[in-house]
């Protein structure tokens, strides 16, 4: 759709949830860019707060210690899909939040209710401020953060396909080890008490195992356009 049309249409809110390696980020960014919408990677926010906890010596195994400082870091997300940014207290953390150390600790930090409350508020504020609407990707967007989203998508893929994609992103990391790590993180994210990874009842499930990225993007763009036309 052209930008002019996007500006005059009412804002559209799209929630894209699912486990790691299903193509959430690539799909969400591309859909937002094609439709002139903002884009928010909520996993990056949880990684950013985890990075801050690690950097400040907070004991990751102590939920009470994490809860006590959950409101301290100032996390700012830039929502341009062509150039998403993330800073913590003014520091660009786009690189540091992707390290193995942060990846292995993010499930523990993001399970703390005070962390989720702080980050959820940020997410709702950003979604409400997006002029044309926004694509928000995560684990609990359709169920908890934006339950009134215009469109909810739940992306899935087989563990093998997800591990192969993640290993490719990590430039040749061992597929077997990646698969085990993914399964462990998904289990933690799905079983936590506060807003676990879950498909909303009214979400459209898209199994991406045998689809190319271009096919997934096309599918989601079509669904958003249908919702927009009906608004
Ligand atoms: O999408 P990702 O792999 O960058 O997400 C990192 C972690 O953040 C993931 O293991 C679980 C957590 N997360 C969450 O709890 N809720 C979200 N909405 C997004 C991510």
């Amino acid at each position: 759709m052209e930008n002019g049309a996007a500006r005059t249409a009412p804002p559209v809110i799209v929630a894209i949830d699912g486990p790691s390696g299903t193509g959430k980020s690539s799909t969400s960014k591309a859909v937002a860019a094609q439709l002139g919408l903002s884009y928010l990677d909520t996993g990056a926010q949880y990684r950013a707060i985890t990075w801050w906890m690690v950097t400040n010596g907070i004991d990751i195994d102590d939920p009470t210690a994490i809860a006590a400082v959950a409101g301290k870091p100032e996390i700012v997300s830039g929502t341009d899909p062509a150039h998403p940014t993330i800073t913590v207290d003014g520091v660009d953390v786009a690189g540091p939040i992707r390290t193995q150390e942060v990846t292995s600790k993010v499930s523990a930090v993001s399970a703390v209710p005070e962390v989720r409350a702080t980050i959820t508020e940020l997410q709702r504020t950003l979604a409400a401020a997006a002029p044309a609407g926004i694509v928000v990707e995560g684990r609990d967007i359709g169920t908890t953060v934006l339950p009134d989203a215009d469109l909810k998508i739940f992306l899935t893929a087989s563990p093998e396909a997800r591990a192969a994609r993640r290993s490719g992103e990590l430039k040749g990391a061992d597929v077997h080890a990646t698969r085990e790590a993914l399964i462990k993180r998904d289990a933690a994210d799905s079983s936590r008490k506060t807003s676990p990874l879950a498909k909303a009842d009214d979400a459209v499930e898209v199994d991406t195992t045998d689809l190319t990225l271009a096919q997934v993007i096309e599918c989601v763009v079509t669904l958003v356009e249908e919702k927009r036309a009906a608004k």
Side-chain angles (χ1 to χ4, degrees):
M1 185 174 291
E2 287 162 24
N3 281 339
R7 267 197 300 275
T8 51
V12 65
I13 305 284
V14 182
I16 303 193
D17 290 301
S20 337
T22 50
K24 275 197 317 287
S25 291
S26 311
T27 303
S28 302
K29 248 183 281 184
V31 169
Q34 270 191 40
L35 297 175
L37 306 178
S38 301
Y39 160 72
L40 179 61
D41 174 358
T42 65
Q45 297 176 305
Y46 285 103
R47 287 171 178 272
I49 198 165
T50 302
W51 174 85
W52 185 90
M53 297 283 167
V54 170
T55 305
N56 285 276
I58 310 298
D59 180 1
I60 299 302
D61 298 320
D62 182 352
T64 310
I66 293 174
V69 293
K72 280 201 171 179
E74 191 196 9
I75 297 171
V76 177
S77 303
T79 58
D80 175 355
H83 185 58
T85 55
I86 181 130
T87 62
V88 181
D89 298 336
V91 178
D92 177 359
V93 293
I97 63 169
R98 304 287 162 193
T99 60
Q100 197 47 48
E101 184 179 23
V102 169
T103 301
S104 66
K105 294 181 169 160
V106 64
S107 289
V109 174
S110 61
V112 176
E114 287 79 0
V115 167
R116 300 207 74 80
T118 302
I119 302 285
T120 297
E121 195 185 318
L122 275 179
Q123 293 161 354
R124 289 181 177 149
T125 303
L126 285 167
I134 191 165
V135 179
V136 184
E137 59 142 313
R139 304 289 192 290
D140 62 337
I141 310 306
T143 53
T144 306
V145 179
L146 300 167
D148 298 327
D150 297 291
L151 176 66
K152 300 176 186 178
I153 307 281
F154 195 80
L155 295 183
T156 61
S158 70
E160 288 69 27
R162 298 195 290 117
R165 287 172 193 166
R166 263 298 138 93
S167 306
E169 280 167 22
L170 300 174
K171 310 230 172 358
D174 175 63
V175 179
H176 181 72
T178 305
R179 181 179 184 276
E180 297 307 303
L182 273 182
I183 289 173
K184 198 171 151 210
R185 193 148 62 93
D186 289 344
D189 296 339
S190 305
S191 62
R192 67 169 174 244
K193 277 206 185 120
T194 311
S195 52
L197 162 65
K199 175 182 171 296
D201 290 340
D202 52 349
V204 180
E205 183 163 337
V206 180
D207 183 346
T208 69
T209 306
D210 297 319
L211 299 179
T212 63
L213 177 60
Q215 288 172 322
V216 182
I217 294 167
E218 194 190 331
C219 167
V220 178
V221 163
T222 304
L223 290 168
V224 178
E225 282 177 333
E226 281 170 11
K227 283 284 170 187
R228 256 187 179 170
K231 268 184 102 142

